[in-house]
Amino acid sequence: MRAIRRFIVQPVLPEPLKPLSRLATNLRWSWNLDTRALFGDIDPALWEEVDHDPFKLLARTPSDRLDILAHDKRFLRRLELTVADLDEYLTGDLWFQKWAKEHPEAPRTIGYFSAEFGITKVLPQYSGGLGILAGDHLKAASDNGVPIIGVGLFYRHGYFRQSLNASGWQQERYPVLDANEMPVTQLRDGDDPVLIPVQIFGNEVKAQVWVVQVGRVPLLMLDTDIDANPGPMREITDQLYGGDAEHRLVQEVLLGVGGMRALREYCRVSGHAVPEVYHANEGHAGFLGLERIREYMETGDDFDTALERTRAGNVFTTHTPVPAGIDRFPIDRVRDQFSGFGPLPIDRVLDLGRETYQGGDPGIYNMAVLGFRAGQRANGVSELHGEVSREMFHGLWPGFAAAEVPIGSVTNGVHHLTWIHPELLNLMQPVVGDSGPQIHDGCDWTALNRVGDQTLWSAKRHMRTAMIEMARKRLHASCRSRGISSDWVDDALDPNVLTFGFARRGASYKRLTLMLSDPERLKRLLNDPATPIQIVIAGKAHPADNVGKGLIQQMVQFADQEDVRGKIVFLPDYDISLARPLYPGCDVWMNNPLRPLEACGTSGMKAALNGAANLSVRDGWWDEWYDPRFGWEIPSAEGISDPTARDAQEAESLYDIIENEIVPKFYNRDSHGLPTAWLKMMRDTVQILGPKILASRMVSDYVEKLYTPAAVSSRQVEGQAAADLAAWKRKVRAAWPKVQVRRVESSLSDRVAMGAEVPFAAWVDLDGLNAEDVGVQVVLGQVDADDWLHDLEIVPMTLDGTNERGISHFSATVKAKDPGSWGWTVRAVPKNPLLAGDVEMGLAAVAPGE
Ligand SMILES: *Cc1c(COP(=O)(O)O)cnc(C)c1O
């Protein structure tokens, strides 16, 4: 018989144990070893059974066991200490508090919007890298004391769970998540649940809000699955990335518009400081910009003024150079949704996201474009990705060089306390009383230098063994569900063998099956009697991506062959619980995307923190921080346009490096059986690379480069200033077509001695604008054969005077610093201290060519 309703019996903890529920509802337990150990000791067997979920543990611990603990003095003492530690963590002065003392302009609060958050497996509200990154962002913000509030959606089915059928084809399951069994609380105003209203295609939808505490950081998640909504509206938050474009659009309206409203309600009810900065993590959250404009217009601003205020505080991060990865909606559907959205003129709303540039489609509403136009500051997620994004979105700022496009970069990082294996983390604990520049984020990054080779190598062996235990458990389950024999599983993988990891989404640019290009060569590597390798693979393909599923199947069928079985294994259902033991268990982390399509990639960082070397195409972060001390680069054959030939060449390099460099280095042992060169690489990777690839570094970069400037800009456009700025922009836009650099003057000869002061001058028609509104600049650079300028240097010119016909004379001198072939031109750009840069308005008047 099926139940028609469910109810939850809440555990009643004996009075002395009550603080346990506080520990369980703050997700800091997920990265705090002491808290986890405390939960583990409540009932070790049950702790394993509930898969390290404190909430479930407390719900299921038998009451006689609880009674014993309630009288166990040592346990109670530990509990007290753990709670005191949490309190100190929640209230103490951390990095941000110190930083803000020296930078009083720092933001009071930041709203951080993301379609997915991957924090712990008990809250499966993520699909892959983007979500894990957002989770790590919140955790590191918490550890650093950065005042952030996260905003997302609560998906009733989360993302799908993956299994395989007998032939290796991906199967998807969508288990129902019950908020009552999760460490979340409903946002309430007194006794009443707070319900967020949002008009979606004419329907009045309401969303309840779940709040989860991520250390110091609250995360709000909107959920439309409530009785008050008609059936179809309850399905809005059914699953992450589940539906068609229309469904995505609806979810994004809820996230952006509803998310802003939930944030307002949360601040009102809790008394939390209201954000000054709003960060859209990828385009999914872009509609928050429209809601902010609406808020300002409701208080009397016109559209342009409201837009200036919104832009000042909005930060947009783009996460993909793959065009198909960017949300693009039919513009008519956006018109249907946002017509009558408060006082916003619909045409202006549509113009914000319309692809009105060369190569764009004006019938499309592009969420990345909206992000750039509704925010003054934007970034990519690695240096290379910043560069690629500047090229990709160059059309939004025509008239400027791609290098000047105002998209910067903050390289992603990972939350080390989540991702470093506990045994290694313990080795990196600072010695008491020790302090120095190498100690930050609670770790001593040079600690491994004090650890002997033997200790380090045995720690790595434990990490490999733990991973193998996890893998065998999953392989057993997988064989059972596939209906195939598992008699080989107990011997699968070997803790002494050189172990490669390769786990990623099934997206085709990631080239899951590149390593299968020459199956016989791979088999020789796997089966070498003296120096074998083994490979652990995982990854989900999007349910609608049959190509990706085909690649997984190809991989699984390869691994099913008897001569390699147990040496190359595919572990289904890649998620945080699989990932956490996987990275530490690997010696080499492999990544072979089609360069430059991997925006950053973070799995290699997680592996590196555990002493694994990277073997990767120099894409994303590995382009920036590759160093032979930390691993190997697979040469990218970007010059070859035939994809098959390119794959073949890159695959060959991959095999060559493994065979000629990696295998000998790993198996070359000293008289104690230790791979000294390998251990050196492990130490270098953790010690030198470790501190750079941290989420705490990333979050402080955001605070310094983006959040604080955005907070400053926000305050600068308070009051009348926003309207003045909007009026000034209108004036400049209207005059601009006639602003002209009429003539340049130079006494420059073809050859100039290094160190000489070179004079430049130009006559400019400002067409009624004055020299305060317009910056006139010499633009210098190295020239190539086609006269294109590179490595630009911009030198402002000063006004000398204006002639009787209203033409102004500007001049500057520049020191000829470097030898080589130089070129120059003169241009005029709008100038205003409230602009984030010369390029912001996309307007430039460049001197006519000869
Ligand atoms: C880190 C991680 C990812 C992202 O890895 P990429 O290298 O960015 O592809 C995806 N899924 C899980 C479970 C992860 O832990």
Side-chain angles (χ1 to χ4, degrees), residues 126-130 132 419 503-505 510 574-576 579 583 589 591 598 600-604 606:
Y126 62 95
S127 80
L130 183 71
I132 305 268
W419 296 109
R504 55 215 59 256
R505 281 178 302 119
K510 296 199 182 231
Y574 184 36
D575 71 352
I576 293 181
Y583 300 117
W589 193 257
N591 191 20
E598 181 86 286
C600 179
T602 50
S603 52
K606 293 179 259 182

Side-chain angles (χ1 to χ4, degrees), residues 514-528 531-533 535 558 563-564 568 648-661 663:
L514 189 76
M515 69 179 94
L516 301 184
S517 299
D518 184 346
E520 291 315 311
R521 193 162 176 197
L522 179 60
K523 284 186 181 179
R524 281 200 301 278
L525 287 165
L526 293 165
N527 287 324
D528 189 291
T531 61
I533 69 170
I535 309 180
F558 180 85
D563 54 347
V564 291
I568 177 167
Q649 174 150 344
E650 293 186 19
E652 188 164 324
S653 306
L654 177 77
Y655 298 126
D656 285 347
I657 296 169
I658 295 176
E659 193 170 307
N660 303 329
E661 301 186 41
V663 166

Side-chain angles (χ1 to χ4, degrees), residues 65 411 473 492 502 508 557 599 610 792:
R65 175 64 186 152
T411 305
K473 228 187 265 171
F502 186 97
S508 52
Q557 290 184 348
N610 285 288
L792 301 186

Side-chain angles (χ1 to χ4, degrees), residues 52 87 213 236 327 376 485 530 565 629 675 678 683 729 806:
H52 299 191
D87 284 331
Q213 211 45 55
I236 294 174
D327 276 322
Q376 219 175 3
S485 159
R565 207 168 55 187
R629 288 174 299 176
W678 194 273
R683 290 177 208 279
K729 281 192 176 175

